[in-house]
Amino acid sequence: MNHLILLFSLFLAPAFADKESQKTNQNFFSNDAIHKRLKRDWIWNQMHIEEEINASLPHHVGKITSSVRNENAKYIIEGEYANTIFKVEETSGDVYAFERLDREKKAEYELTALIIDRRNNQSLEPPSKFIIKVYDINDNAPVFVHKVFNGSVPEMSPVGTSVTKVTAVDADDPTVKGHATVMYQVIKGDEYFTVDDSGVISTTRSDLDRESQSKYEIIVQAKDVPGSSGDSSTATVIITLTDINDNFPVFKHSSFHFKVPENISVGGEVGRVKVEDIDEPQHRNTKFSFVRGDYRDTFEIVANPFTNEGIIRPKKPLDFEKVAEYRFDIEATDPTVDLRYFKSGGSRSISTVTIEVTDVDEPPVFTKLPYEFKVRENDPEIRTLGSVWAHDPDAAKRKIRFSRLKTSPNGDYIRVSDTGIIQLPKPLDREFSSSYNITVAAREILEDGRPSDRESHAQVHVIVTDENDNAPELVSPEEARVCENAAPGKVIIRISATDKDEISPRGFFKYSLATEDSNFSLAENYDNTANITVKYGQFNRELAKFHFLPVIISDNGDPELSSTNTLVISVCKCNEKGDFTFCEERAKQVGVSIQALVAIFVCIFTIIVFFAVIALLILLRKRHKKDLSSLGRNVAEIHEQLVTYDEEGGGEMDTTSYDVSVLNSVRKNGIKPEAVPSTYAQVQKPPGNITSGAGEMEMMIEVKKDEADNDRDLLPYDTLHIYGYEGAESIAESLSSLESGSSDSDIDYDFLNDWGPRFKMLAELYGSESNEDFTY
């Protein structure tokens, strides 16, 4: 039909073209007569071309025609595919395709037609656009959008259950009947599944069992409608059967035997019984139960669906001395199995379990846990609270020794004897701690008297009950102030109290003033607070800037305790509105408790002792060094040196020693010096009856040596250097203080006796008590 319409259009086109040409010519001549130019029209055939034409190229597409009558007219086309795929014969206007066209790549082409004067390339007509349509032929086979499709369906599903959908696409024109129609067919696996014309795959059997086969791989074909070219394509569909709970669990063994020590913890693992459930873990709902035996209160069986096991756990402690063996039957079943798909076989499985308990050396067992005792605070008569008790559960029945492991709060407040008696070394104070917790350890005593390593613990809780032993104390939340012109009844401050003891259930605190001789009054609020108000008013700051108000607070306890507290009230200047403008600052009292004073004195004493010890150590170290220095000297150096020079030697470089015989030569010869002025000071010998001769000098030197050896406060030796003048090589002037000395010197050397032991020798030599002169 389409071809007929095309041919009809081709035949009618020339006729229409001639009529239009005649009309155009008539108009041309008419216009020429009146010198007017009319618009000319483009004339061409409707252009269509089939795809994939088998004839040789080029293929005639159509003809473009203009009403212009000009022998120099030239047809040209423009556009994306002009002069490449499509070309026009410039004189006749015939359009040709120089390539085979594929509608699936491009279904139509838009070009522009122009007619120009070949002499000057001037347009003779305005350009006009036209479209070339490509007719479709059924030349494409349907193609699947995927090479592999995946689907799933529950096992044992009814016939016709939808699994998945496949899709194939035909590239031909869907507007042409039969060109894009696709038909599906299962060519492999059709005994299990089928596919309809829309590509939906469904089951053909109701006995698909996942436990027998969990996956199916089928092949689906897609092809054109019958009568076409018959081209087709295929795709693979992988179908997975999903699991349903359609199988009961079965024990792998008819009996199970386990050994377990009696000290296994509650909830520990005794053993595992294995079952077989071929369903997937999410559908394994195995339930274990006891069918024979009276031990369901002793054990429990917990199912593990991932391992297909039942874990046996004790629900209470085992005791070898009471029960040495347990035997019972257990059943495994699954109450969630879908009975519609139930297979042949029993719905329950039974197995026998034997548990053998082995004996172990167990630690002592306390009779009750925990222990709790109550005691009144500050009760000096209570020394024993009670006792704890434990026994050996084994057949040996060993003795038990008790001890305290730890206590809270820390300290020796509660003691535990070896026999388990809880004792108080001193009364307890509830205000320090209202409760005490201790851990008591119990150990068995072996036959040789040593404690066993088996140990058990018990918690002991001691509660201290309250006694009314603390008076209430005043709590002042802010500084009390009053205007000097305050009116009577003005509330100054609301006071409250606190009590370290427990609040008495019989009532609130009671407040009162210790004296009524004041300008203040007290009014109770009956909510553990009271108001201090102005009684008369008109305070005088010149007389008193502060008022000290004694307040008595009692606690209604048994016995009733009260305390007197001083409330300091400042008298301030105020403005007309009653706002405080100036208040005197009260000097803060810094109070130090006795405990703080004791701590301060202890610290000071410790510091003093510390520094005293350090000073003593330094002194001993210096004396020790002096002893070592004394011992290190040559014995020959520890003597008294008296050096005399008639003239100085080489100055400071003269270090030659002297000969003691010079000292004795004067005494032996009995020569006295001439009465000439001496350049050396005369040395006076200490007083005493001393005879002349060499022996006396030697004796004196030995005495002085002995004193130097035994008196630690003296220098090891005395040296007296007498210089008349300095040596030649010294650049300094004379340093000698003895140069002006003479026998008639008026200097008094008695002050040397006051300088201590180190100047004893000089005091004896220069003292004024001797009348006998010795000249050396």
Side-chain angles (χ1 to χ4, degrees):
M1 184 67 182
N2 294 332
H3 296 291
L4 293 176
I5 295 173
L6 178 62
L7 292 175
F8 180 74
S9 300
L10 292 175
F11 283 120
L12 292 179
F16 288 126
D18 292 341
K19 185 180 287 186
E20 292 294 333
S21 176
Q22 292 174 2
K23 187 183 294 184
T24 302
N25 291 335
Q26 293 174 359
N27 293 335
F28 177 75
F29 291 118
S30 175
N31 291 339
D32 187 57
I34 61 177
H35 303 285
K36 290 184 179 180
R37 182 180 178 89
L38 298 177
K39 179 181 178 182
R40 298 182 177 90
D41 297 326
W42 283 95
I43 303 172
W44 54 68
N45 299 328
Q46 186 71 26
M47 294 189 185
H48 295 88
I49 184 172
E50 284 189 355
E51 64 172 338
E52 304 293 347
I53 299 176
N54 291 327
S56 60
L57 295 172
H59 301 149
H60 186 267
V61 178
K63 186 181 182 70
I64 59 174
T65 305
S66 175
S67 59
V68 175
R69 293 293 180 261
N70 189 334
E71 60 181 5
N72 294 318
K74 175 183 177 182
Y75 291 101
I76 61 174
I77 58 175
E78 293 179 351
E80 182 180 0
Y81 299 97
N83 301 316
T84 54
I85 296 179
F86 301 99
K87 295 182 180 179
V88 64
E89 207 287 321
E90 60 182 19
T91 57
S92 63
D94 291 322
V95 179
Y96 294 91
F98 284 80
E99 291 184 10
R100 288 182 173 85
L101 303 181
D102 187 354
R103 193 202 66 84
E104 285 71 39
K105 291 183 178 178
K106 194 170 180 64
E108 59 183 31
Y109 299 85
E110 183 178 336
L111 301 174
T112 302
L114 297 93
I115 183 168
I116 61 174
D117 190 337
R118 68 179 66 248
R119 294 172 299 179
N120 53 17
N121 292 330
Q122 294 292 326
S123 295
L124 300 177
E125 285 287 343
S128 178
K129 293 184 179 181
F130 65 96
I131 295 175
I132 300 174
K133 291 187 176 182
V134 182
Y135 277 166
D136 180 54
I137 63 173
N138 194 6
D139 60 343
N140 291 281
V143 178
F144 283 99
V145 295
H146 302 292
K147 281 294 184 182
V148 179
F149 292 86
N150 292 282
S152 63
V153 63
E155 62 174 331
M156 312 300 289
S157 294
V159 175
T161 302
S162 176
V163 178
T164 187
K165 183 178 181 180
V166 295
T167 303
V169 178
D170 193 332
D172 292 325
D173 190 357
T175 62
V176 180
K177 184 177 180 181
H179 281 203
T181 304
V182 180
M183 295 182 62
Y184 299 96
Q185 182 182 0
V186 178
I187 61 177
K188 178 185 175 183
D190 55 342
E191 66 271 26
Y192 304 109
F193 302 95
T194 186
V195 61
D196 60 14
D197 293 339
S198 63
V200 176
I201 299 175
S202 57
T203 60
T204 59
R205 298 177 58 173
S206 62
D207 58 349
L208 299 178
D209 189 1
R210 186 198 67 85
E211 286 73 32
S212 300
Q213 183 177 348
S214 61
K215 285 188 178 181
Y216 293 87
E217 186 174 311
I218 66 174
I219 297 177
V220 179
Q221 182 187 60
K223 63 179 181 179
D224 282 331
V225 295
S228 61
S229 61
D231 292 335
S232 64
S233 62
T234 60
T236 301
V237 182
I238 299 175
I239 301 174
T240 303
L241 297 183
T242 58
D243 184 50
I244 64 172
N245 192 6
D246 58 344
N247 294 279
F248 285 98
V250 178
F251 283 110
K252 288 187 175 182
H253 304 286
S254 60
S255 64
F256 297 90
H257 186 273
F258 305 103
K259 277 189 176 182
V260 61
E262 64 173 335
N263 62 345
I264 183 173
S265 61
V266 174
E269 183 176 326
V270 174
R272 300 192 175 203
V273 292
K274 296 183 180 296
V275 296
E276 183 177 5
D277 189 342
I278 57 179
D279 289 325
E280 291 184 350
Q282 68 269 19
H283 293 137
R284 296 172 186 167
N285 298 312
T286 304
K287 301 297 181 183
F288 297 92
S289 58
F290 298 87
V291 294
R292 281 186 295 271
D294 298 329
Y295 304 112
R296 65 187 62 195
D297 61 337
T298 306
F299 299 96
E300 65 177 352
I301 305 176
V302 180
N304 186 340
F306 297 99
T307 60
N308 267 354
E309 294 175 326
I311 305 172
I312 302 176
R313 304 180 187 274
K315 296 169 62 176
K316 61 183 182 180
L318 305 182
D319 192 346
F320 171 80
E321 286 73 25
K322 293 182 179 179
V323 180
E325 182 180 275
Y326 297 87
R327 184 186 297 270
F328 45 84
D329 292 342
I330 59 175
E331 176 189 59
T333 186
D334 188 349
T336 62
V337 170
D338 193 341
L339 298 179
R340 293 179 300 170
Y341 311 111
F342 175 63
K343 303 180 181 67
S344 60
S347 60
R348 50 186 288 185
S349 178
I350 297 177
S351 180
T352 301
V353 176
T354 302
I355 300 176
E356 182 181 346
V357 181
T358 59
D359 188 26
V360 295
D361 186 10
E362 299 176 271
V365 177
F366 283 93
T367 54
K368 68 173 184 177
L369 292 173
Y371 292 87
E372 183 175 290
F373 302 97
K374 290 186 177 181
V375 61
R376 295 194 310 273
E377 69 170 328
N378 303 323
D379 193 338
E381 297 180 356
I382 300 178
R383 286 291 181 259
T384 301
L385 295 180
S387 62
V388 295
W389 180 252
H391 67 279
D392 182 8
D394 299 320
K397 302 301 179 184
R398 297 188 180 99
K399 292 183 178 181
I400 308 299
R401 178 180 297 169
F402 300 91
S403 61
R404 189 189 69 182
L405 287 185
K406 59 182 179 179
T407 179
S408 176
N410 295 327
D412 189 17
Y413 302 105
I414 301 176
R415 296 175 182 175
V416 180
S417 67
D418 292 344
T419 58
I421 298 175
I422 308 299
Q423 299 173 332
L424 296 179
K426 57 183 178 181
L428 302 180
D429 186 4
R430 194 201 68 87
E431 283 69 44
F432 173 75
S433 178
S434 61
S435 64
Y436 296 81
N437 296 312
I438 65 173
T439 301
V440 178
R443 282 190 176 186
E444 298 177 4
I445 305 301
L446 301 177
E447 288 73 8
D448 56 0
R450 295 182 297 106
S452 170
D453 58 351
R454 309 297 295 169
E455 182 177 288
S456 57
H457 301 155
Q459 300 297 322
V460 177
H461 185 53
V462 179
I463 299 176
V464 184
T465 59
D466 185 43
E467 293 291 327
N468 193 24
D469 56 345
N470 292 279
E473 298 175 356
L474 178 66
V475 176
S476 180
E478 58 186 8
E479 183 180 356
R481 297 182 297 177
V482 63
C483 294
E484 60 180 342
N485 58 351
K490 172 69 175 178
V491 177
I492 300 173
I493 190 173
R494 171 174 289 191
I495 61 174
S496 60
T498 182
D499 196 335
K500 295 180 181 178
D501 296 321
E502 294 180 354
I503 300 298
S504 173
R506 297 189 300 171
F508 300 102
F509 295 125
K510 292 190 300 185
Y511 300 87
S512 62
L513 297 180
T515 177
E516 297 296 332
D517 298 334
S518 66
N519 198 4
F520 302 97
S521 61
L522 183 146
E524 291 200 46
N525 298 319
Y526 301 101
D527 60 353
N528 273 341
T529 64
N531 291 337
I532 302 297
T533 60
V534 178
K535 182 185 292 185
Y536 307 115
Q538 298 303 321
F539 296 93
N540 190 346
R541 295 186 72 255
E542 301 299 329
L543 296 179
K545 296 182 175 62
F546 300 98
H547 291 268
F548 299 92
L549 184 66
V551 180
I552 300 175
I553 307 174
S554 59
D555 58 6
N556 283 325
D558 185 16
E560 183 176 281
L561 298 178
S562 62
S563 64
T564 301
N565 304 264
T566 301
L567 178 65
V568 181
I569 303 175
S570 302
V571 180
C572 305
K573 294 181 179 180
C574 299
N575 56 20
E576 296 178 354
K577 297 181 180 180
D579 299 328
F580 298 107
T581 59
F582 177 76
C583 293
E584 200 77 26
E585 288 291 337
R586 182 169 62 94
K588 295 184 179 180
Q589 297 179 356
V590 180
V592 181
S593 63
I594 298 178
Q595 293 83 352
L597 290 175
V598 172
I600 293 172
F601 287 133
V602 169
C603 293
I604 295 174
F605 179 75
T606 303
I607 294 172
I608 293 174
V609 171
F610 175 74
F611 282 107
V613 170
I614 292 178
L616 181 61
L617 292 176
I618 294 174
L619 181 60
L620 292 176
R621 181 178 179 85
K622 287 184 178 181
R623 180 163 295 183
H624 181 65
K625 287 184 178 180
K626 183 185 296 183
D627 293 342
L628 293 177
S629 177
S630 299
L631 294 175
R633 293 191 180 93
N634 194 330
V635 177
E637 295 180 356
I638 306 176
H639 59 275
E640 187 175 17
Q641 296 185 11
L642 298 176
V643 182
T644 180
Y645 292 90
D646 291 335
E647 65 179 7
E648 293 296 325
E652 293 178 353
M653 297 182 63
D654 185 6
T655 57
T656 58
S657 56
Y658 59 89
D659 188 0
V660 182
S661 61
V662 178
L663 298 174
N664 297 327
S665 63
V666 178
R667 293 292 186 184
K668 281 184 179 181
N669 299 329
I671 302 174
K672 293 186 178 180
E674 298 178 359
V676 295
S678 176
T679 58
Y680 302 99
Q682 294 181 352
V683 180
Q684 296 179 351
K685 186 175 176 64
N689 297 326
I690 302 176
T691 58
S692 63
E696 289 83 355
M697 180 60 67
E698 182 178 1
M699 184 181 301
M700 183 183 69
I701 292 175
E702 291 298 330
V703 170
K704 298 307 177 185
K705 285 174 60 180
D706 184 66
E707 290 179 358
D709 289 340
N710 295 312
D711 191 349
R712 294 182 180 273
D713 293 331
L714 291 178
L715 294 175
Y717 57 88
D718 292 335
T719 303
L720 178 62
H721 291 249
I722 301 174
Y723 296 91
Y725 60 92
E726 294 299 324
E729 294 187 10
S730 175
I731 63 175
E733 297 179 359
S734 176
L735 301 176
S736 176
S737 60
L738 305 176
E739 181 177 359
S740 59
S742 61
S743 58
D744 57 351
S745 174
D746 58 352
I747 298 176
D748 186 5
Y749 292 99
D750 289 340
F751 64 87
L752 294 176
N753 293 312
D754 301 328
W755 284 17
R758 299 193 178 201
F759 297 87
K760 182 179 180 181
M761 187 62 192
L762 291 177
E764 292 177 355
L765 293 176
Y766 289 90
S768 59
E769 297 179 2
S770 175
N771 296 323
E772 187 175 356
D773 295 335
F774 296 93
T775 304
Y776 301 101

